[in-house]
Amino acid sequence: MSRDVLLKILDLARWAPSGDNTQPWRFEIVSDNHIAVHGHDTRDDVIYDFDGHASQMAHGALLETLRLAASRFGMSAEWVIRAGQPDNAPVYDISLRSSGISEDVLVQFIESRCVQRRPMRTTPLGFEQRAALCEAVGDAYYLVFFESFKDRLGVAKLLWRNAYLRLTCPEAYKVHRHIIEWGVRFSADRIPDQAVGVDPLTAKLMRWVMQSWGRVNFFNRFLFGTIAPRIQLDFVPALACAAHVLIKPKRAQTSLEDHVLAGMAMQRLWLTASRLGLYLQPEMTPVIFRWYVQGKRKISQKASIDKGVNLLAKRFEHLASANSQDGFAFFCRIGTSGKPNSRSVRKELSSLMVR
């Protein structure tokens, strides 16, 4: 197969989702039927990348997207994790071969799939939609749906508390300050401010306040600075959707491969939602905070943050009728809406190639 075909496959694969659009991968064409994906994670700099799990799930989403993209050219793709590489910099070796398979129906949604952070319609999911979403994640996972108003209100309260912790945590501020690209509709390596989900006035205030932790801390303590973003970004959207969906693995997630496979299931769920005319927004912070609790690890220099995160994990487990040992892989809200007019895009393929 030609290098041109391999580049076309990678050009589609690069549209896989990643936390805050970090795109933690680089591509290498090793031979005519061998692609290497050089992964990395952001655990050293990003509080939300607990032990690299979020990045590992993004790697899985990429591998699944690459597999789907290969089907456009009648090829199958199989991957293995290269032995001897550290977990924070894994290398995935992908073998491609011509197999005459038909293009997967999900391929046409790879580029159009995006995040909807604004309120959606509350039209309930239909039986066929729910069944398709359950089938998408495969036999190793099952889905928990939070659909009734009572359930959505419970999630809204959970996210309200979660957002307070997120917005008052100094370690999280370092991430928030970096991930937004201001004054744009599209961002190749971050989140454009117009896609964040707040009104223009709040966006302007956020931009000014987020220039220093001192300003953030002052507004939070004395001017109720968390209220407006929590209402607009968390509470209202949590109510304004068809459902919240939790992917639960059927066995413990203990290895790099486990999190990669969870990311593959996440991407199939997301692309299937797009096929069904639905939009999706990840709600991963409560899952990630719970990983800290399960790992008995501190999040912040502020003891109140860790205390709040422990309480949040218990509320989440109560909401999901789960125990402290159950695995939570991915949490999101889903529903119908108009097409977002702003979104994250991707770096050019040329900048993602190993040189």
Side-chain angles (χ1 to χ4, degrees), residues 64-352:
E64 179 63 14
T65 310
L66 194 153
R67 183 190 70 80
L68 294 168
S71 74
R72 170 164 286 181
F73 303 93
M75 297 178 188
S76 59
E78 298 181 355
W79 61 272
V80 296
I81 301 173
R82 187 180 296 180
Q85 306 299 310
D87 275 5
N88 65 346
V91 178
Y92 307 91
D93 289 301
I94 298 99
S95 300
L96 298 109
R97 64 182 178 86
S98 297
S99 56
I101 60 175
S102 300
E103 178 177 318
D104 194 290
V105 68
L106 296 179
V107 172
Q108 61 184 298
F109 302 99
I110 289 175
E111 293 183 64
S112 60
R113 177 215 57 80
C114 63
V115 178
Q116 175 56 285
R117 296 180 179 87
R118 299 187 184 276
M120 307 179 201
R121 290 185 280 276
T122 57
T123 306
L125 298 174
F127 174 81
E128 292 182 358
Q129 289 176 318
R130 200 178 296 105
L133 295 172
C134 290
E135 183 180 0
V137 298
D139 294 337
Y141 308 89
Y142 61 95
L143 300 184
V144 179
F145 291 89
F146 304 86
E147 298 181 87
S148 69
F149 177 79
K150 180 181 178 180
D151 285 345
R152 286 183 283 119
L153 180 60
V155 174
K157 292 178 179 178
L158 179 81
L159 296 179
W160 176 263
R161 296 183 178 96
N162 172 83
Y164 179 80
L165 297 170
R166 187 183 75 237
L167 295 172
T168 58
C169 177
E171 292 81 4
Y173 162 72
K174 300 173 185 178
V175 182
H176 302 161
R177 181 180 58 182
H178 172 72
I179 64 172
I180 300 175
E181 184 171 358
W182 299 98
V184 298
R185 284 183 61 197
F186 306 104
S187 176
D189 60 357
R190 284 172 286 171
I191 301 171
D193 66 317
Q194 296 176 33
V196 169
V198 295
D199 61 59
L201 182 61
T202 302
K204 288 181 180 179
L205 182 61
M206 284 174 58
R207 183 175 187 175
W208 183 81
V209 170
M210 290 177 67
Q211 290 180 26
S212 75
W213 173 248
R215 290 181 184 178
V216 172
N217 198 35
F218 179 84
F219 266 73
N220 287 346
R221 290 183 65 187
F222 302 111
L223 299 175
F224 305 101
T226 70
I227 299 298
R230 289 162 73 196
I231 291 172
Q232 295 182 51
L233 298 179
D234 297 277
F235 195 82
V236 171
L239 293 175
C241 63
H244 299 266
V245 183
L246 175 65
I247 298 181
K248 295 185 66 175
K250 293 182 178 179
R251 64 179 182 85
Q253 306 285 278
T254 58
S255 68
L256 164 65
E257 184 176 8
D258 289 334
H259 294 288
V260 170
L261 291 172
M264 297 178 74
M266 172 195 72
Q267 177 67 334
R268 289 194 300 271
L269 175 79
W270 205 332
L271 290 171
T272 299
S274 296
R275 180 179 67 82
L276 297 170
L278 301 167
Y279 284 99
L280 182 151
Q281 179 188 6
E283 299 170 317
M284 279 297 289
T285 312
V287 174
I288 295 165
F289 283 173
R290 185 171 177 267
W291 288 342
Y292 278 93
V293 174
Q294 289 181 310
K296 298 180 180 179
R297 301 261 287 279
K298 286 183 173 294
I299 289 179
S300 177
Q301 61 186 358
K302 293 176 63 176
S304 60
I305 297 294
D306 286 290
K307 182 179 179 181
V309 165
N310 275 273
L311 291 173
L312 187 81
K314 292 178 181 178
R315 290 181 183 277
F316 198 1
E317 289 160 4
H318 177 75
L319 192 66
S321 300
N323 62 55
S324 61
Q325 301 305 311
D326 286 349
F328 293 175
F330 182 68
F331 193 43
C332 65
R333 70 185 187 102
I334 198 166
T336 57
S337 74
K339 181 180 178 180
N341 61 10
S342 175
R343 61 167 296 186
S344 296
V345 288
R346 298 295 181 271
K347 295 176 181 178
E348 293 296 326
L349 179 59
S350 58
S351 70
L352 293 171

